[in-house]
Amino acid sequence: MKPIFAFDVCLTVLSLIGQGVMHILFISRLTGKKRRVWHFPLYIFLLGIIQFVPFPDAASGLLAIGAQALALYGMSHAALGNGGSVSWTVTFLAIYISQLSFGIINSMETILFPQLIGKKLLYPVVFLATLAAFTICFCLYAVVLKFLSLTEDGRTASAGVLLPPGMFFCAAQLYILQTAYRVLQLPLSPEAVGKHAMLLLLQILGLGALLCMLYACRHLDRSMEQQEALRSLEQAAQAQKGYIAEAQARYEQTRAFRHDIQNHLSVVCALLDSGKTDEGRRYLQKLRAASSMLAFPYQTGNPIVDILLGEKLGLAKEKGILAEVSLLLPASCGIEDPDWCVIFSNALDNAISACRKMEGERVIRISGERQGDFFMLAFENPCLEGPLPPAGTGLSNLKAAAEKYQGTMLTEKTGGYFCLHVLLNLS
């Protein structure tokens, strides 16, 4: 009995360590949260306490799994800082997958291993079976990570969708393990072998249900991304209509002012000829004020872009963000005004958002340079430390606008500044 007891203890300890490490790695990768070294020993210690606590026999399995779920939820919520629904979702996913993996192997062991009882070959075979269970578990975790993301900058609606079926699958798997494998009567009768074969089939179907659920969640996330992109395009289209309408209004006002300039000059000359210099000076001041109202704060050669820069950078100035614009757009080129709006509005929105998170110097630099048939735009702003975030809908729309003109978009970080380069083909 001593070798069997020692083998059982060693296998239990290894299983606890393996499950603890895999659970922490899985929930940290799935939620995008940074794990710490102390998370692993703490969670493994909690699993060890749960394993050796003498729960009542009638509900020992249920209480043990419940305690494990609470421990994993606490690690996700308190240690990793995930929200409540996300923490419960990753908890049930992690536990269900580990239960399913070991349940499949338990069914196979029950059918194939009884004839090895009492033989030395049993120990290595059981050890290999445990490794097989961990291998299945690892592969399923990898599949979940490929199909699903519950990071804060991703889609968290999947958490609410996955939670009810995750709880159901976890409870069903727990029922199978506790009713079918808690006490075995050996040798197995042909009827018992058929029963365990059916349970193996049910668990394989449970695996298929998990994969179908992940596939559905992936399509849900893609649908939400498409809806968000559509809303972004609709908002951009409305903004572009506003910029174009304002540009047309400015053009009409300027044309009317130019039409009346001869009359204004005649009035000024008459006042000066009659010696009314003070009245003439006041009249000129009024003309200067009227002309300044027609002028744009930024002169790029494109009235639509001038209006856009005036609005966006005016709001930025109110928030203490400075702007340096050194830009002259080509007067005649094949780039349409709506595409200029897409490029400048998305680039400026990202730059202003990044500057608002910064302390100290906050400045947006915009420049452009033409080389032959190509035009290079550059947007530069200070940014926080860390890797570049994934491109959102705004930058994706900007990239699509650049590629429409056989161009490209490039982002980089240098010296604490984020640089966005947009190359356009003007030919």
Side-chain angles (χ1 to χ4, degrees):
M1 295 298 293
K2 289 183 179 180
I4 297 178
F5 177 77
F7 177 78
D8 185 58
V9 170
C10 291
L11 193 62
T12 300
V13 171
L14 291 176
S15 297
L16 290 177
I17 294 174
Q19 286 190 37
V21 171
M22 293 181 70
H23 283 174
I24 295 297
L25 289 175
F26 173 68
I27 64 175
S28 64
R29 289 283 303 277
L30 185 59
T31 59
K33 294 300 179 65
K34 186 177 181 179
R35 55 190 175 269
R36 306 290 182 182
V37 176
W38 59 270
H39 292 163
F40 297 97
L42 175 60
Y43 181 59
I44 293 172
F45 175 73
L46 294 175
L47 291 182
I49 293 178
I50 295 170
Q51 179 69 29
F52 295 104
V53 167
F55 292 110
D57 292 338
S60 60
L62 180 62
L63 293 176
I65 293 296
Q68 183 181 0
L70 289 175
L72 188 54
Y73 172 83
M75 293 298 300
S76 175
H77 186 61
L80 294 177
N82 293 311
S85 61
V86 171
S87 295
W88 280 122
T89 300
V90 296
T91 294
F92 283 113
L93 275 177
I95 293 178
Y96 170 64
I97 289 174
S98 60
Q99 285 184 333
L100 179 64
S101 304
F102 280 90
I104 292 174
I105 296 301
N106 284 344
S107 296
M108 299 176 65
E109 286 179 337
T110 303
I111 297 172
L112 302 176
F113 289 4
Q115 58 271 27
L116 298 179
I117 294 177
K119 300 180 180 179
K120 293 183 178 180
L121 184 61
L122 177 65
Y123 299 113
V125 171
V126 171
F127 181 75
L128 291 176
T130 303
L131 289 181
F134 275 111
T135 301
I136 296 174
C137 188
F138 176 82
C139 293
L140 291 178
Y141 284 153
V143 170
V144 173
L145 292 174
K146 181 179 180 180
F147 276 84
L148 190 63
S149 174
L150 297 179
T151 57
E152 292 179 348
D153 56 349
R155 303 289 172 269
T156 57
S158 299
V161 175
L162 284 171
L163 187 54
M167 295 174 64
F168 172 77
F169 289 150
C170 190
Q173 184 63 30
L174 175 62
Y175 177 79
I176 292 175
L177 292 177
Q178 293 302 308
T179 56
Y181 301 110
R182 186 177 179 185
V183 178
L184 290 175
Q185 295 180 354
L186 300 176
L188 294 178
S189 63
E191 181 181 356
V193 172
K195 172 185 174 182
H196 288 290
M198 182 61 66
L199 290 177
L200 175 60
L201 177 61
L202 287 176
Q203 293 178 98
I204 294 175
L205 291 176
L207 172 60
L210 173 65
L211 297 177
C212 291
M213 184 173 61
L214 293 174
Y215 182 78
C217 286
R218 186 178 187 182
H219 278 265
L220 173 64
D221 290 346
R222 288 182 175 178
S223 176
M224 292 181 62
E225 290 176 357
Q226 292 173 355
Q227 291 178 4
E228 182 179 344
L230 180 61
R231 285 194 298 267
S232 177
L233 289 175
E234 290 175 350
Q235 293 174 358
Q238 291 297 328
Q240 291 166 10
K241 290 180 181 178
Y243 297 140
I244 293 173
E246 185 174 349
Q248 291 174 344
R250 290 287 188 97
Y251 174 76
E252 294 297 332
Q253 293 173 359
T254 303
R255 187 175 66 174
F257 183 80
R258 289 177 176 175
H259 179 268
D260 295 335
I261 193 66
Q262 294 296 332
N263 296 329
H264 293 306
L265 292 176
S266 298
V267 172
V268 172
C269 290
L271 290 173
L272 294 177
D273 290 341
S274 60
K276 298 178 180 179
T277 56
D278 292 336
E279 289 84 348
R281 186 179 295 107
R282 285 194 294 269
Y283 197 90
L284 285 174
Q285 289 175 351
K286 292 179 181 179
L287 289 179
R288 182 181 299 173
S291 64
S292 64
M293 293 178 61
L294 299 176
F296 298 109
Y298 302 98
Q299 305 289 333
T300 67
N302 185 303
I304 307 297
V305 176
D306 293 344
I307 293 172
L308 190 152
L309 289 177
E311 179 180 328
K312 297 284 187 182
L313 296 180
L315 294 175
K317 186 177 180 180
E318 294 177 0
K319 302 180 184 301
I321 302 172
L322 303 178
E324 298 178 3
V325 181
S326 176
L327 179 64
L328 182 62
L329 297 177
S332 59
C333 64
I335 300 178
E336 300 176 354
D337 287 337
D339 294 317
W340 282 124
C341 287
V342 169
I343 293 171
F344 278 90
S345 61
N346 286 297
L348 290 176
D349 286 342
N350 286 343
I352 293 172
S353 176
C355 286
R356 293 181 64 180
K357 301 175 183 178
M358 300 296 298
E359 296 181 358
E361 182 188 21
R362 301 194 296 178
V363 60
I364 299 174
R365 298 186 178 93
I366 307 172
S367 60
E369 181 181 3
R370 180 169 185 170
Q371 294 183 353
D373 291 334
F374 293 92
F375 191 82
M376 174 67 80
L377 280 169
F379 302 86
E380 183 178 314
N381 59 268
C383 62
L384 299 173
E385 296 182 359
L388 287 173
T393 303
L395 287 182
S396 298
N397 294 339
L398 193 156
K399 183 179 180 182
E403 292 176 347
K404 177 180 177 180
Y405 300 97
Q406 293 78 47
T408 187
M409 180 194 77
L410 174 66
T411 59
E412 60 178 350
K413 288 182 66 174
T414 55
Y417 278 82
F418 173 82
C419 300
L420 170 65
H421 301 280
V422 182
L423 179 65
L424 302 170
N425 189 343
L426 305 179
S427 60

